[in-house]
Amino acid sequence: QVQLVEFGGGSVQAGGSLNLSCAASSVYSGTFACMAWFRQAPGKGREAVATLYISERRGPYYADSVQGRFIISQGNAKNTVSLQMNSLKSEDTASYYCAGGYLCHYPPRTASFNDWGQGTQVTVSS
């Protein structure tokens, strides 16, 4: 199992921005076919926020709730991904998880991602 680590969570006021980043363990020599950000709010299921299709000629996936506000991008290093979150709303408050997978679907399926980070908390106050 590949270790993924998220960085950049925190607290921000509504309308503000945060940038999350994720990197796989440096000892991992493979390459994910897709990397994604999921989130889970208290009492709710885990939902896909954005997915980057690295090995396909396919544009990124965004949940309707974040379309136009969030941007997912690949980092300079292999198996790194970032999520720029703008115009944050209180409903964006959740734990955000980075995930990597090899069998990628559009829209993404939680069960198809093999490796997950521990999560980073994002809190948006109104």
Side-chain angles (χ1 to χ4, degrees), residues 10 12-18 39 64-70 85-94 96 122-126:
V12 65
Q13 289 192 328
S17 299
L18 280 175
R39 67 185 180 188
D64 290 343
S65 58
V66 307
Q67 179 75 46
R69 299 189 297 122
F70 290 11
M85 304 185 294
N86 302 317
S87 302
L88 283 161
K89 305 176 182 179
S90 57
E91 50 264 45
D92 294 318
T93 295
Y96 283 71
V122 171
T123 302
V124 184
S125 57
S126 56

Side-chain angles (χ1 to χ4, degrees), residues 2-9 19-26 28 32 34-38 50 52 54 71-84 96-101 113 115-120:
V2 180
Q3 182 180 7
L4 295 173
V5 181
E6 300 99 341
F7 303 91
N19 186 276
L20 305 181
S21 58
C22 169
S25 169
S26 59
Y28 176 54
F32 290 118
C34 50
M35 296 190 74
W37 289 95
F38 287 75
L52 194 63
I54 299 168
I71 301 172
I72 188 171
S73 60
Q74 189 172 8
N76 292 328
K78 187 175 65 171
N79 297 323
T80 61
V81 66
S82 296
L83 184 69
Q84 176 65 36
Y96 283 71
Y97 298 87
C98 174
F113 285 87
D115 299 291
W116 294 81
Q118 294 299 308
T120 185

